[in-house]
DNA sequence: CTGAAAGCGCTTACAG
DNA sequence: CTGAAAGCGCTTACAG
């Protein structure tokens, strides 16, 4: 059973396709009688306008593209949820692609989306992305583009982010406030702006408090599939390298949980021997023992906000209005839990 | 800068649109010279065929729809990853929708996808879905449809599942094998086939081993956002209701981890006082302490397999070949870990 | 109030 | 080897 078309409806009713079309869209210049007939037949035939034809005609697809580095990831899946729930409210569908942290794939996928004529694009960059030509091309072609979380500062488009530097500063300051004297940092990969900013926030907090910044206290983790294991490995390495570290600020919760596990195995008391702060407020963090102090990173809200901004830009463009680019910074807060609550 | 069209290319080269089109597609009946010219200009203009027009003409969209109950969920996000990575290989894009476990939304979304003229649909049902008219309609309209994980047995379409009953049987048998005499079950919601099947597998294992089936040992959890809390609550309730339970088979890992946490707080030793088996092999399950014995449920593979089957059906339909419906059952295995490994 | 016409951007069977 | 024509399924400005 092929889907019904306007033509069929028109033929059965002995009217023209134009009239049928206008009747369905409740144009004022069609008689009530005709409208009723058309609507009725449309219903019985289960008529649904072919969106390909509609879109070709109207030059919009009511579809947006979304590229994330990784789908199996609590933060990104929260963002996705925020985006698709908001998009659905506005009648938009979302095509989701995953760059696997690869620059090459990201570029290819951007091309796919342009070819598909999506009305706008939402993207969080791959760790491997160091040049931004592919993004600038999108902007040059006047396609609404909003970056979130992992952004490129220099690309002229709207951005939805948190203030990673401030959040990391707060996390580090918190460790200092509870009395830590020698604070390590497990940072993320070298390229992404977030992990740079979090590192800088850590460093600045130390310096503002007249504490030494010691590069040997900074450990790197890629934060991919192996986050948990990286946390364990780094923690064990840290114990070998330094005997007097009493606090760690860790780039992301899953790595932090790995570290907590290593400490537990080694008989290191958290927080009394070493206090730990994570980042992102993964739902398991409140649940493990000791529960993890962390920075709350609002994924769902970020997705929602990014879509809203993109939607505004799509609307503006449609009306040929100038597009006001925005950099929206979402609030983060420190959530203190057992991993930094000293018992004495 | 508007995207280039075939017409523009044809005009600049003083040839017809037909020839330009054929040149780009390397039809044999176009001269080498023309082909070269067209390809070159296409490149400099950054020409990308408008897929809306192509699709309208070819009556296919190279897009499939995917409906899952929940995106922020380790199992489903693994499935999503499996689907989109496989789809990309075959040149398909994926529109993802989330039913939020709601029958009403699921129905609406199916309509959206039909209107969008996706080439096929992949779906895992909402817990709230008890009637299947909306699915039968899809089938009646000859749209390729593959259900996975949460399926409706009676709908005439392909399915990719695990053998929940057998897996649950294995899990329960394992508890019996290590010596458990009174085994409780935390089951999922009442409607979904999975949770019914897992319950039946549990029951059958008991009966096959001449153990009593006692309904008061079966607790229900909705397995939504609150899985962890439900696990805790149920575990505490169980301790109040029964003093002599020595094993539990739990519908899903996150609930099981909640239960483990409750037991730890109450000083109950796992596995020596109570042994615990979960379901799904969530990545945290190997990591917590005690690590959780569980059934491995292959999400990524399930997504990949479901797409492959859908792809076959799309191809068959295109060639007007009959479609061979399949029920594909993926392998599960019991992974034994500390939560059922008695120390004595 | 109704309908013929043009057009969105392609593809392809057909004629020359 | 090239191009005119028809058509995919719609929408809308225009004529009547």
């Amino acid at each position: 059973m092929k889907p019904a078309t306007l033509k069929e409806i028109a033929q059965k009713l002995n009217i023209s396709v134009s009239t049928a079309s206008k009747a369905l869209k409740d144009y004022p210049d069609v008689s009530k009688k005709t409208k009723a007939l058309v609507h009725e037949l449309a219903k019985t035939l289960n008529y649904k306008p072919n969106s390909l034809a509609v879109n070709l005609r109207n030059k919009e697809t009511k579809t947006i593209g979304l590229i994330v580095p990784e789908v199996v990831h609590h933060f990104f899946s929260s963002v996705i949820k925020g985006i698709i729930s908001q998009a659905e409210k506005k009648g938009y569908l979302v095509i989701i692609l995953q760059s696997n942290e690869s620059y090459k794939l990201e570029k290819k996928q951007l091309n796919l989306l342009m070819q598909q004529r999506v009305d706008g694009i939402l993207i969080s960059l791959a760790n491997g992305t160091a040049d931004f030509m592919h993004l600038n091309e999108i902007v040059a072609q006047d396609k609404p583009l909003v970056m979130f979380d992992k952004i490129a500062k220099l690309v002229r488009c709207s951005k939805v982010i948190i203030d990673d530097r401030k959040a990391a500063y707060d996390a580090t300051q918190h460790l200092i406030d509870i009395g830590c004297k020698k604070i390590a940092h497990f940072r993320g990969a070298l390229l992404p702006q977030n992990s740079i900013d979090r590192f800088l926030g850590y460093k600045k907090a130390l310096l503002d408090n007249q504490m030494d910044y010691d590069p040997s206290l900074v450990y790197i983790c890629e934060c991919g599939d192996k986050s948990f294991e990286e946390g364990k490995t780094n923690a064990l390495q840290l114990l070998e390298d330094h005997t007097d570290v009493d606090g760690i600020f860790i780039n992301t919760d899953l790595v932090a949980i790995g570290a907590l596990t290593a400490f537990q195995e080694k008989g290191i008391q958290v927080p009394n021997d070493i206090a730990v702060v994570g980042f992102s407020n993964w739902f398991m963090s409140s649940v493990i023992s000791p529960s993890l102090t962390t920075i709350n990173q609002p994924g769902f809200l970020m997705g929602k906000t990014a879509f809203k901004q993109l939607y505004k830009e799509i609307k503006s463009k449609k009306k040929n209005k100038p597009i006001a680019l925005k950099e929206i910074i979402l609030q983060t807060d420190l959530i203190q839990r057992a991993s930094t609550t000293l018992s004495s």
Side-chain angles (χ1 to χ4, degrees), chain A:
Chain A
M1 194 178 94
K2 290 276 139 242
T5 66
L6 264 193
K7 205 170 152 188
E8 280 167 45
I9 293 185
Q11 281 170 348
K12 296 208 185 184
L13 254 33
N14 259 316
I15 57 174
S16 73
V17 172
S18 340
T19 305
S21 171
K22 283 187 280 188
L24 278 174
K25 308 185 83 194
D26 257 333
Y27 274 41
D29 63 344
V30 177
S31 72
K32 292 223 159 116
K33 206 179 131 200
T34 313
K35 276 186 191 171
L37 284 170
V38 172
H39 274 111
E40 200 193 321
L41 185 57
K43 190 145 196 180
T44 65
L45 292 181
N46 194 20
Y47 171 77
K48 306 248 166 50
N50 180 330
S51 36
L52 289 173
V54 175
N55 293 338
L56 179 60
R57 190 44 229 230
N58 296 344
K59 289 170 165 278
E60 58 173 5
T61 56
K62 291 279 187 179
T63 300
I64 65 158
L66 166 62
I67 301 178
V68 289
E70 173 63 76
V71 165
V72 188
H73 189 293
H74 186 256
F75 175 71
F76 285 122
S77 57
S78 303
V79 177
I80 292 175
K81 184 169 175 170
I83 291 169
I84 61 182
S85 59
Q86 194 64 25
E88 205 176 345
K89 277 189 202 161
K90 299 292 186 181
Y92 275 76
L93 293 174
V94 185
I95 290 171
I96 302 184
L97 293 164
Q98 153 172 293
S99 66
N100 278 321
E101 303 286 7
S102 148
Y103 165 67
K104 228 178 114 188
L105 249 186
E106 180 178 293
K107 201 168 159 177
K108 195 183 139 212
Q109 292 172 340
L110 237 21
N111 265 323
L112 274 178
L113 292 174
M114 289 303 281
Q115 185 155 352
Q116 191 70 13
R117 301 296 195 270
V118 294
D119 291 343
I121 294 175
L122 254 22
I123 189 171
S124 189
L125 298 183
N127 280 347
T129 296
D131 99 73
F132 308 121
M133 270 301 294
H134 56 316
L135 299 161
N136 287 327
E137 263 176 37
I138 307 291
V139 174
Q141 285 174 61
D142 235 20
K143 181 70 64 184
L145 172 70
V146 175
M147 305 181 53
F148 61 90
D149 193 50
K150 290 163 75 180
I151 65 161
K153 288 200 171 159
L154 294 177
V155 176
R156 275 188 47 76
C157 68
S158 290
K159 288 149 197 138
V160 181
I161 47 174
I162 57 171
D163 187 338
D164 280 290
R165 203 178 299 202
K166 174 184 172 296
Y169 188 99
D170 292 348
T172 313
Q173 183 67 51
H174 172 63
L175 288 168
I176 297 168
D177 289 345
I178 63 167
C180 294
K181 300 294 178 211
K182 189 162 182 182
I183 301 172
H185 175 42
F186 293 180
R187 62 165 291 169
L190 290 174
L191 274 181
Q193 194 63 48
N194 316 49
S195 92
I196 296 170
D197 283 335
R198 290 179 199 173
F199 163 69
L200 292 173
Y202 155 78
K203 192 166 162 185
K204 182 153 195 297
L206 293 184
L207 299 178
D208 282 1
N209 287 273
Q210 290 80 46
M211 292 168 73
D212 287 339
Y213 162 64
D214 173 358
S216 80
L217 289 174
V218 176
Y219 294 75
I220 295 183
C221 47
E222 293 301 321
C223 296
D225 287 353
K226 297 265 162 271
S227 292
F228 180 85
E229 282 77 9
E230 284 183 314
K232 270 179 112 163
T233 320
N234 277 344
L236 295 174
Q237 189 61 46
L238 174 73
L239 293 179
E240 279 196 16
D241 296 347
H242 304 273
T243 52
D244 50 352
V245 162
D246 54 6
I248 321 179
F249 163 52
I250 300 184
N251 189 61
T252 184
D253 277 6
L254 194 45
V255 175
I257 293 177
L260 291 181
T261 306
F263 291 150
Q264 188 163 31
E265 285 169 10
K266 287 285 176 189
I268 307 285
Q269 297 293 321
V270 174
N272 285 9
D273 296 339
I274 301 181
V276 177
V277 181
F279 203 109
S280 71
N281 195 27
W282 186 37
F283 73 103
M284 280 303 286
S285 304
S286 63
V287 146
I288 48 160
S289 175
S291 59
L292 180 67
T293 295
T294 191
I295 299 287
N296 185 49
Q297 194 185 6
F300 185 83
L301 179 63
M302 185 174 280
K304 211 170 140 175
T305 310
F307 179 81
K308 278 185 176 174
Q309 177 60 24
L310 186 67
Y311 181 75
K312 269 189 208 161
E313 297 189 6
I314 291 173
K315 289 296 140 207
S316 295
K317 193 190 158 193
K318 215 178 148 184
K319 295 183 200 154
N320 282 313
K321 284 190 194 166
I323 292 175
L325 299 185
K326 270 196 195 163
E327 182 166 299
I328 301 171
I329 298 174
L330 299 179
Q331 191 69 40
T332 53
D333 358 70
L334 182 92
I335 300 177
Q336 182 172 1
R337 300 208 183 95
S339 71
T340 61
T341 304
L342 299 172
S343 48
S344 81

